[in-house]
Amino acid sequence: MMIKKIKIGIVLIYIMSCMSLAAQQSKVVDLSQRLNVGDIFNPPAKVQLMRSTDEKIDWKALEDKVVLLDLFETTCGTCIQIMPHLQELQKKHVDIFKVFVVTPQDKQTMVDFFKKNKYLKEHKVNLPVIYGDNYLRKLFPYKSIPQAILLYKGKVQAITSSGFINSENIQQLHKEGKIALPLKDDFGKASLINDQNIDNGGIKAGVIFSGYQNGVDYQPWRFELDSLTGLHKSSLYNASMYGALLSLASQAKIKASYVPRFDRVIWNVKDSTKYENFSEQPSDVWLVDHAVSYERYDMRIRTDSIQARIIMDDFVNLYGVRAYESTKKMPCLVLKKCPVVDYDGKDVGRKMTYVGTAVLAGFLDYTTLFPPVVDEAKVETRIQIGTYATIEDLNQQLAAYGVKGQVEQREIKVLVIEEVD
């Protein structure tokens, strides 16, 4: 049996592992106290509050406003990035919208954080913070953040991602008293098959393509024995098409020798924006319309690399897109040997150590500050490099090890994403 379901119009929330720093929970989470959308919100009797003109929160007085609980930790880069946006929204809708940053971290940690964070200081962010929280986190548990909780009229109106917190949605919720936003549920169970298929013995083997799954966390490729069907299951949920293909290529050993930067991707497609978010739109919002989910059920087990190649054939046959490796001539930062010159320049701050130019080349490639890096120096000496902003800055330090970087044309490997008939 072969099942094909392309983009069935379902909606979900997605948080991609490369997009933001997620706060991970390693222990089993108690979900017995968790609130769902539509539940009555019983506020904490007392909170520890800082960066606020009020000493305590009058939750009853706030029932006529849309209240955002912005779940936060200082290690979450995306959480930090969206703070100025949330503050602007509160300023713009001061009569109907109130923001509280909520964190389990202690007061001193938060004081030090706001004192040292240049980005928030530049944007003059001064949102009220509920610190040392345990109560709200039990009501709205998470594996990854950002996570946004919208309250109105004493009820939970949305548990969603930060990309959906905008003027339109705030005004709609305040005016209509309810709103349907994609659900962020890090504990949701993903499945593209239904109970009827299983009960009737209808799932013997097959492939299912679909779109966004509401209330399901992002899951990268996983190959496992499925206890429900007894079949070998390959699955991925809520990923961009590019991310899905890139991971498959890695599993299939197609592109193990270089960093998959966007300038090493050739797009032989009509519209690359369907495959990856190249817009200013938040990724969680973009993925509502463009994410892909996939399941494959097999009677036999295969090695991961062979299974990945079979799944790539599914993408060709059912979705009309494939990924493969090719080469292209382009400007590269070529690391070469040169005469050793002692470095006597300015202090370059804290240095990082790289075990040879191959490791350094990989790191430089990952930062994407320079063109793709080719290591022709083949130096195995331990190299210590501090901060740099230009190739000239880098070369002044590299010269101490008899190495320099120079931009030249080279034929290098690239990944091709191609639509097929």
Side-chain angles (χ1 to χ4, degrees):
M1 180 185 71
M2 184 67 72
I3 308 170
K4 180 183 177 183
K5 298 199 298 183
I6 301 291
K7 204 70 177 165
I8 59 179
I10 44 186
V11 185
L12 77 153
I13 212 59
Y14 162 88
I15 293 196
M16 199 166 190
S17 58
C18 65
M19 117 184 195
S20 64
L21 183 58
Q24 299 296 329
Q25 296 177 336
S26 57
K27 60 182 180 180
V28 176
V29 177
D30 180 10
L31 301 178
S32 62
Q33 300 180 53
R34 179 167 67 162
L35 293 183
N36 298 307
V37 174
D39 287 348
I40 294 174
F41 174 68
N42 293 313
K46 186 179 180 180
V47 298
Q48 300 182 93
L49 197 61
M50 59 183 286
R51 302 177 71 84
S52 173
T53 56
D54 301 317
E55 293 184 0
K56 61 181 182 179
I57 300 174
D58 187 345
W59 296 99
K60 191 68 177 177
L62 288 172
E63 287 190 359
D64 290 330
K65 287 189 175 185
V66 174
V67 175
L68 169 66
L69 301 180
D70 176 40
L71 305 190
F72 174 88
E73 293 187 26
T74 56
T75 53
C76 172
T78 304
C79 302
I80 298 168
Q81 186 180 14
I82 64 174
M83 275 190 171
H85 169 67
L86 298 180
Q87 181 161 283
E88 285 300 312
L89 286 174
Q90 180 173 264
K91 183 178 179 181
K92 182 178 180 180
H93 304 289
V94 64
D95 294 332
I96 64 170
F97 184 55
K98 181 68 175 179
V99 179
F100 291 104
V101 176
V102 181
T103 180
Q105 295 172 288
D106 62 78
K107 183 176 183 179
Q108 191 57 53
T109 297
M110 296 305 296
V111 169
D112 293 342
F113 167 73
F114 281 106
K115 183 179 180 180
K116 296 176 181 178
N117 191 280
K118 293 181 180 179
Y119 176 77
L120 297 183
K121 289 168 70 175
E122 288 173 1
H123 288 82
K124 300 179 180 180
V125 172
N126 191 31
L127 293 168
V129 177
I130 298 173
Y131 66 90
D133 167 70
N134 287 314
Y135 179 84
L136 294 171
R137 185 169 182 173
K138 289 179 180 178
L139 299 185
F140 307 106
Y142 57 81
K143 290 181 180 178
S144 64
I145 47 178
Q147 180 155 295
I149 314 301
L150 288 178
L151 309 173
Y152 187 52
K153 297 297 184 182
K155 289 188 176 182
V156 180
Q157 302 292 345
I159 302 172
T160 190
S161 191
S162 58
F164 299 98
I165 308 303
N166 54 44
S167 289
E168 181 182 355
N169 289 335
I170 292 168
Q171 291 173 313
Q172 180 183 338
L173 176 53
H174 188 263
K175 180 180 179 180
E176 300 179 8
K178 59 182 180 179
I179 193 168
L181 293 179
L183 173 66
K184 179 180 181 292
D185 181 358
D186 295 347
F187 307 94
K189 300 294 184 180
S191 179
L192 302 182
I193 61 176
N194 57 49
D195 293 338
Q196 184 177 359
N197 286 335
I198 298 171
D199 293 341
N200 293 339
I203 299 295
K204 300 299 184 185
V207 176
I208 308 173
F209 268 107
S210 187
Y212 243 17
Q213 302 298 297
N214 192 39
V216 175
D217 196 17
Y218 161 73
Q219 180 203 291
W221 286 108
R222 183 179 296 169
F223 307 133
E224 60 190 346
L225 180 65
D226 181 46
S227 59
L228 196 62
T229 62
L231 299 172
H232 296 282
K233 179 180 177 181
S234 306
S235 60
L236 167 137
Y237 305 104
N238 308 340
S240 70
M241 178 65 75
Y242 171 67
L245 291 170
L246 187 65
S247 296
L248 276 178
S250 178
Q251 291 278 0
K253 312 299 183 185
I254 290 177
K255 53 121 225 87
S257 60
Y258 61 91
V259 176
R261 308 160 40 136
F262 279 137
D263 53 1
R264 296 185 76 158
V265 179
I266 307 300
W267 295 96
N268 291 338
V269 300
K270 293 179 181 178
D271 182 6
S272 62
T273 63
K274 296 191 304 182
Y275 293 85
E276 183 61 33
N277 184 15
F278 295 106
S279 70
E280 295 298 321
Q281 194 177 32
S283 292
D284 44 10
V285 177
W286 177 85
L287 282 162
V288 167
D289 295 320
H290 300 289
V292 61
S293 297
Y294 170 97
E295 289 179 354
R296 179 186 177 96
Y297 295 88
D298 289 289
M299 292 184 179
R300 57 179 296 191
I301 189 171
R302 306 179 181 92
T303 64
D304 288 356
S305 60
I306 292 175
Q307 188 70 5
R309 290 178 180 273
I310 290 172
I311 295 171
M312 291 183 80
D313 287 340
D314 289 341
F315 274 73
V316 173
N317 297 327
L318 302 179
Y319 212 102
V321 61
R322 64 175 177 167
Y324 61 92
E325 192 176 72
S326 184
T327 61
K328 181 181 178 181
K329 194 170 186 178
M330 64 174 62
C332 297
L333 178 62
V334 182
L335 299 183
K336 298 181 171 185
K337 290 183 177 180
C338 71
V340 174
V341 178
D342 291 336
Y343 178 70
D344 58 359
K346 63 181 181 180
D347 180 23
V348 290
R350 184 178 179 182
K351 295 182 178 181
M352 292 183 63
T353 301
Y354 307 91
V355 185
T357 49
V359 176
L360 174 63
F363 180 83
L364 292 173
D365 232 5
Y366 182 78
T367 65
T368 68
L369 181 62
F370 306 124
V373 183
V374 175
D375 176 28
E376 294 182 358
K378 308 297 183 183
V379 171
E380 297 183 1
T381 307
R382 293 169 69 89
I383 299 172
Q384 287 191 323
I385 301 294
T387 58
Y388 50 86
T390 65
I391 294 176
E392 290 72 23
D393 292 341
L394 177 63
N395 279 340
Q396 285 183 358
Q397 299 181 64
L398 284 177
Y401 303 93
V403 179
K404 69 175 182 180
Q406 187 169 320
V407 177
E408 297 179 355
Q409 293 283 329
R410 288 291 187 275
E411 188 91 9
I412 61 173
K413 293 179 179 179
V414 294
L415 186 68
V416 181
I417 307 296
E418 184 175 74
E419 291 173 348
V420 296
D421 294 333

